[in-house]
Structures are given as C-alpha cells and as structure tokens.
Amino acid sequence: DVFFSGSVRKGCFAICLINQFKDRFFARGPLSLSVEMRMPDPTLLAVFVFYLAFCDASGLVDNPLLGEALQYLDGESWVVSNGTITTEAFVPGDLITDLQRGGLIGDPLFEANFRNAVWDQSNWTYTLTFDLDAAVAAGPTVYLVFDGVKMAADVVLNGAALGGLADQFLRYSFDVTRIARPTGNVLAVTFPTSADPRNNEGRFMPCTGGWDWAPKSSTTTTMWGTLTFSKGIWKSVYLAATASLTIDHIVPLVYYNGSYPTAPLTDTTHGGFTVAVRVHVTAAAAVSGKMSVVGEWGTAAGTSGTFPAGSSNVTVVLDAQQVKLWWPAGLGAQALYAINVSFTPDGSSQATLVDSRRLGFRVFTLVTGNDTDPSSLAGQDGSDTFTMRFKVNGADVWSRGGNMIPMEEFEGRVDAQALRIL
C-alpha cells in the first residue's frame, strides 16, 4: 500500500501516475493503492520516485516532416555544457533531467531542490557531431527539423547561425542544403537564461514553473514574472531530404452530413461524413505534380497543379458514407481508418512521396440545454437547469474526470507507454 497526504485531487493524481507505472517498474506483483490523510511511507515513496525519474521519452515521436529520406538525430550521443560543466545529454529530453542523470544535481523534486536555480544561471549548449546518411546526402534539398524545443534557443550548424526558436509547440525547419556536409557536422542548440527577452513573448507550457500540484520554481521571465523551470529539446530532431517537396502536415477536417442526433446512432443509421484533407507542403522551388488521397473506407480523390516555392497547402475532399462509427472506451469499438496521401511529381523519375494518418468517425456535441428538439436551441445560450454534458454519436457520455494535467514537469522523465495507456 502507498499512502498520500494532501487533497483528494492531488492524491488521485498520484494514483493515476502510479497506476500507469506499477506494472512496468514493480515486477514483483501488482501494487495496491489506498488514499489516506497521513504521511507516506518514505521507503516506498523513495522507490517510486527513483524509478519514475528515469523513464524513457524516446518513444514520443510525432509524425515527421516527410521527404524521400529521413535521418533522426535522437539518442544519447549529445552533450550539454555551460562552458564549465559538461555531461551526456538525451534527445528528446530536458536539461534538468540530464543534469540529474549525470549526477550533477539532486532530484529537483526532492525537498527544496527545486529552488536551486543552477540550471538557469548561465547559457547551456546542446552539441551533436554527426555524419549524413548516404540517402540524405544524395538529396538535392536537405532540411534540419526540430519537432519541439522548449524555451528560447539559438541553432547553429557548422558555425552558421540558422535562427532562433521561441515556441514550444511549433515545429521549426531550416534549409541546410548548402551548410550540411557529408561528415563531421556539428550542431549546437544554445539555451539562454530565463531573463532572455524572447522568453517574455515565447510560448511554453503554463505549468512549467509550478501549479497547485507542482512546486513553484525560483526563476522567472523578466517582463511578466512568469515562472520557468525546465528547458531543452523535448521532441525529435532529424534531417529530411527531398528532390521535390516535403509533406509537412496532413490535417483531415471531418464534417457530419446528417441531422443533429437525438438518439444514439448506429453504423447503418448515421448520415455519413465529408472529409476535407488539407495537405501542407514545402518546396525549395516550384514543382508540378499530382496530390492523391485515398480513404481506407473505399473512396479516393486527387488534384494536379503547381506548388510554389516555400510553404503552401492543398485540400482534397473525400466522401465517407459506409463507415463504422468510433466510440469511447466502454461504449463500443474504436474503428479507425487510414488516410493515405501521395505526391507524384510530373515528368521526372523522382520518387512518389507517400504518407498516412488514421482517423475515427464520430459526432461529438457539448450539450447545455434540452436537445430533444434541436431546433429550439438555435441561437440560444445554454440553460442553467441542465448540467453540461457530452454526447458522442447521439449517446450521453459519463465523463470520468477532467482538468488533465501533465504526468511530469520534466519532459525527459515522461514515459511514452504510460501516456499511451492514459
């Protein structure tokens, strides 16, 4: 048994965490859980914290910017240094976890260690030396891609400044065709202190420096006094090579064609869907070709044209009538369908780019009134006599919980499988 003191909300959060990790780390059997208003057993809690601190974030990989060849730069070959201290670094990850793993600081969540701002008293630089894979080196155009970097940072490749990063939630890509070389490339990503003015307007996780469930750090931005804590390359870094264009994002926008459901729908009674598949691309130079989209449910469409140099997008519309509905766990099956996207350049021997995404078809509504007669709700505000509720495919859903908070304050301690389970 593991006992937690504090509010029920914090206790439930801790249970949620341990439930995801107990089978992975406690091999001697299931871990029973209780919540009582008393102090935790220090031995058990210490064991839990030790195992949680070194989870594996490497499985958290986004759908990449797609070229004809990809080379990931993730892994353990990075180093991080402030000019005085140097230690091994992991990407994806974060600086504080790297310093702890290297034995340079204690657990930042133990007692008052989180108030020690050694990680924010100087600039820290992540460095990687690498060679190009043959397939990437053969690409006429090569992009260096960062799927996610937290806090302001500057990127330099082989001594050439590529640019600055300031948004944790954006993907950044740089054309490095004339900078990358077959061997001996040196990539450096430097993080300044929280006082760097770019952090005032940059975007990062709001609970980074503390919340009611997390300790409040001692470092802040200069303009707004926003609390800061972790920083680092929290998602993948890779090279993408192409002879035509790259497929950056595939965004399926799904619209329900039927009337508002007042009773649960079935696979044979729903009104069908329209899927507008928006494909975002980047081309080093204008390129002509055909963009084709095929839905696994049996419909296909395409469009031919010229994509200009730079970033652009095109939308291909598919009809989806004979599809199975997606249901939340416990209410039915989670039917998923692949959307396969391909681009074939005109009049050349260049390879066809092929990418895919999966989606489920459902009708989701947020109801705050009596919706037995949908026409009575048009243009109206919700009613205070009806509680807010969710409906999926016309069926009421009992929402078990809300206000999801991150499983960890440190990106390098997040576990991919635990997130998938959650």
Side-chain angles (χ1 to χ4, degrees):
D1 290 332
V2 178
F3 300 91
F4 295 90
S5 61
S7 69
V8 173
R9 178 171 59 170
K10 294 181 177 65
C12 290
F13 172 61
I15 286 178
C16 175
L17 281 176
I18 291 189
N19 268 328
Q20 306 310 321
F21 291 100
K22 62 183 175 63
D23 292 334
R24 184 178 178 90
F25 297 125
F26 293 82
R28 285 185 284 179
L31 187 69
S32 60
L33 298 168
S34 302
V35 177
E36 291 191 5
M37 303 299 285
R38 64 188 179 98
M39 294 300 291
D41 180 295
T43 304
L44 287 175
L45 189 57
V47 170
F48 168 67
V49 170
F50 171 80
Y51 279 109
L52 183 60
F54 299 105
C55 297
D56 180 14
S58 63
L60 302 173
V61 180
D62 289 355
N63 291 309
L65 180 150
L66 184 68
E68 289 146 23
L70 294 178
Q71 178 182 346
Y72 277 89
L73 303 179
D74 297 351
E76 306 173 11
S77 299
W78 293 74
V79 295
V80 63
S81 175
N82 68 349
T84 302
I85 300 171
T86 300
T87 188
E88 182 182 49
F90 289 70
V91 171
D94 72 273
L95 172 63
I96 295 177
T97 301
D98 286 332
L99 295 178
Q100 181 192 358
R101 186 182 283 113
L104 301 174
I105 62 171
D107 187 335
L109 298 181
F110 179 74
E111 293 189 345
N113 284 350
F114 66 92
R115 306 293 293 180
N116 179 359
V118 62
W119 45 78
D120 200 48
Q121 295 172 352
S122 58
N123 294 354
W124 289 89
T125 299
Y126 279 78
T127 305
L128 175 70
T129 300
F130 64 95
D131 299 334
L132 297 184
D133 289 347
V136 171
T141 303
V142 179
Y143 296 96
L144 173 64
V145 185
F146 293 85
D147 273 346
V149 175
K150 185 177 183 183
M151 308 307 292
D154 297 294
V155 181
V156 175
L157 178 63
N158 297 333
L162 301 184
L165 318 177
D167 192 322
Q168 179 182 359
F169 309 107
L170 284 184
R171 168 189 285 164
Y172 291 87
S173 63
F174 303 95
D175 188 337
V176 295
T177 306
R178 299 184 179 182
I179 302 173
R181 51 197 183 216
T183 61
N185 294 280
V186 179
L187 174 60
V189 182
T190 299
F191 292 86
T193 68
S194 298
D196 188 286
R198 289 173 297 176
N199 284 318
N200 291 320
E201 301 300 332
R203 295 177 66 234
F204 54 92
M205 185 170 65
C207 63
T208 289
W211 212 260
D212 62 348
W213 50 268
K216 294 186 182 296
S217 65
S218 59
T219 56
T220 66
T221 60
T222 55
M223 182 178 294
W224 310 113
T226 305
L227 294 170
T228 63
F229 207 179
S230 66
K231 63 182 74 173
I233 305 170
W234 77 292
K235 287 190 176 183
S236 291
V237 183
Y238 53 93
L239 299 163
T242 183
S244 55
L245 52 72
T246 59
I247 296 177
D248 302 344
H249 301 284
I250 299 173
V251 184
L253 305 173
V254 183
Y255 304 91
Y256 182 55
N257 297 330
S259 58
Y260 183 92
T262 57
L265 300 171
T266 68
D267 292 340
T268 58
T269 62
H270 67 71
F273 300 83
T274 296
V275 185
V277 182
R278 185 174 300 161
V279 184
H280 295 260
V281 302
T282 298
V287 58
S288 298
K290 182 176 182 179
M291 189 72 71
S292 300
V293 180
V294 179
E296 189 181 5
W297 56 92
T299 59
T303 182
S304 297
T306 299
F307 293 90
S311 299
S312 60
N313 66 82
V314 63
T315 299
V316 178
V317 179
L318 301 180
D319 185 56
Q321 296 296 323
Q322 305 301 319
V323 293
K324 294 182 178 180
L325 295 172
W326 180 97
W327 290 92
L331 295 182
Q334 291 77 54
L336 295 173
Y337 294 87
I339 295 178
N340 299 308
V341 176
S342 62
F343 175 74
T344 304
D346 288 342
S348 74
S349 59
Q350 297 171 12
T352 296
L353 290 177
V354 179
D355 205 352
S356 65
R357 298 290 187 272
R358 292 198 303 168
L359 65 80
F361 292 95
R362 71 216 188 276
V363 183
F364 179 88
T365 52
L366 172 60
V367 184
T368 58
N370 185 351
D371 63 342
T372 55
D373 179 9
S375 63
S376 66
L377 299 179
Q380 301 297 317
D381 292 330
S383 168
D384 59 5
T385 60
F386 286 86
T387 58
M388 183 175 67
R389 56 199 168 100
F390 297 122
K391 297 180 75 171
V392 176
N393 302 329
D396 289 325
V397 175
W398 178 255
S399 298
R400 300 171 181 85
N403 189 29
M404 168 63 189
I405 62 177
M407 295 182 65
E408 258 292 350
E409 279 198 278
F410 305 110
E411 290 78 6
R413 291 162 58 149
V414 174
D415 183 80
Q417 183 58 23
L419 281 178
R420 291 190 180 97
I421 294 171
L422 185 60

